[in-house]
Amino acid sequence: MIDTQNTDKILEILETLSDEELSVNLLKEFSDKNKNFGKLLLNRDSNLTHDEWKKRCDEAQKDMDDFLAKIESYNF
């Protein structure tokens, strides 16, 4: 999950994109990724070992970071 300040920045970038369809698609993808990452962090699957849970969290964090960098690249 990302903090509120970053969320505001991302939303501002998406609101200023001239391509509304792209903006909507990126917003949906952002929402889905953030939701899935939050669920992973907060609802730890008891069937996972700690190491596997940590690995999945790290992968989800990297995926989110990469996606945020993609959105920020539209801020020119």
Side-chain angles (χ1 to χ4, degrees):
M1 295 185 322
I2 63 172
D3 65 40
T4 304
Q5 185 177 12
N6 285 338
T7 300
D8 291 343
K9 180 179 176 183
I10 296 305
L11 292 177
E12 182 179 329
I13 292 169
L14 294 177
E15 288 173 357
T16 60
L17 286 178
S18 59
D19 184 338
E20 290 182 19
E21 185 176 349
L22 174 62
S23 179
V24 168
N25 289 335
L26 289 171
L27 180 60
K28 181 179 181 331
E29 188 175 352
F30 169 70
S31 178
D32 290 344
K33 287 180 183 292
N34 198 38
K35 177 179 151 186
N36 291 336
F37 185 37
K39 282 183 177 180
L40 180 61
L41 287 175
L42 299 175
N43 297 321
R44 184 168 179 235
D45 183 346
S46 61
N47 294 322
L48 294 176
T49 66
H50 177 74
D51 290 339
E52 183 62 26
W53 174 79
K54 174 77 169 108
K55 179 182 173 188
R56 288 186 186 186
C57 286
D58 291 345
E59 290 169 352
Q61 179 67 59
K62 180 172 180 354
D63 185 43
M64 179 61 81
D65 291 344
D66 291 346
F67 183 73
L68 294 175
K70 175 182 169 181
I71 290 177
E72 288 178 350
S73 73
Y74 290 102
N75 189 25
F76 41 86

